[in-house]
Amino acid sequence: MAEDSRINRTQIWVTLITVLGGLLTALIVNVDKWAPRDEKPAAAATATPAAASPPHVAPSSAAPATDVASQGAAPATGATAARPAAAQAPTSVSVPGEGADAPSAPVSAAPAGPIDIAGEWRDDDGSRIHFTQAGNAYEYSHTAISGTLISAGKGTISGRDLTHTFEMLSGETGSCTARANEAINKITGHCLFEDGGWTFTIER
């Protein structure tokens, strides 16, 4: 009986040694898995921005985006871009005829200088009226078709308006007011003297 007990204890020790040896062997083999590893820095595993190749961007037919920094506002997109911008209200309103640069309105009724009436004119009867002129002053002589002097006078010009006094061959005196047309080829007027008056039209 004592002999059997020794054999059993020997077998138990052998078994224990075998199991412990296996565990020790497994521990040694996997020791690198149990020990903490030194993690590599993230910067080492990541490529620097300078070394990284830029991604390929396919060409786009759309219009280039507006530089927000230089323009001061984000570019309009979609429906907003389709709407035209509201017109700016004018800062000033120009009124024709006002300001230093405004063109002067044409004044056909009153030329800047005296009109030129010098020369030969004729009335409806065919008699002749001859004018001589010096600036805005003039003299005239009225001669019948036969060559007989009818009257003579002198006066002044203001714009296209004429005013003169006259003396007839008979000695009667009077005054006339007249106005030339824009083409300065017709004068229409009215004369007065002691016995009455008359209207006249002369042309050249």
Side-chain angles (χ1 to χ4, degrees), residues 67-171:
D67 186 356
V68 177
S70 61
Q71 298 296 328
T77 57
T80 304
R83 291 196 300 268
Q88 269 192 324
T91 56
S92 62
V93 178
S94 298
V95 179
E98 293 184 1
D101 298 332
S104 58
V107 180
S108 59
I115 59 175
D116 181 12
I117 61 172
E120 202 77 21
W121 298 68
R122 291 183 181 274
D123 64 10
D124 295 338
D125 297 333
S127 59
R128 297 177 301 171
I129 300 91
H130 182 78
F131 287 96
T132 59
Q133 181 178 348
N136 66 340
Y138 67 91
E139 295 183 2
Y140 84 94
S141 60
H142 186 185
T143 307
I145 297 175
S146 61
T148 304
L149 181 65
I150 298 174
S151 66
K154 58 183 178 180
T156 56
I157 303 171
S158 176
R160 290 191 288 117
D161 294 324
L162 291 76
T163 303
H164 65 259
T165 58
F166 66 89
E167 182 177 358
M168 300 180 68
L169 184 61
S170 61

Side-chain angles (χ1 to χ4, degrees), residues 169-204:
L169 184 61
S170 61
E172 295 177 291
T173 60
S175 62
C176 300
T177 57
R179 186 176 181 83
N181 64 356
E182 292 186 5
I184 319 300
N185 59 9
K186 179 185 289 189
I187 297 175
T188 303
H190 182 75
C191 295
L192 294 173
F193 68 111
E194 288 183 2
D195 294 338
W198 71 93
T199 58
F200 68 90
T201 298
I202 59 175
E203 297 182 71
R204 66 174 173 183

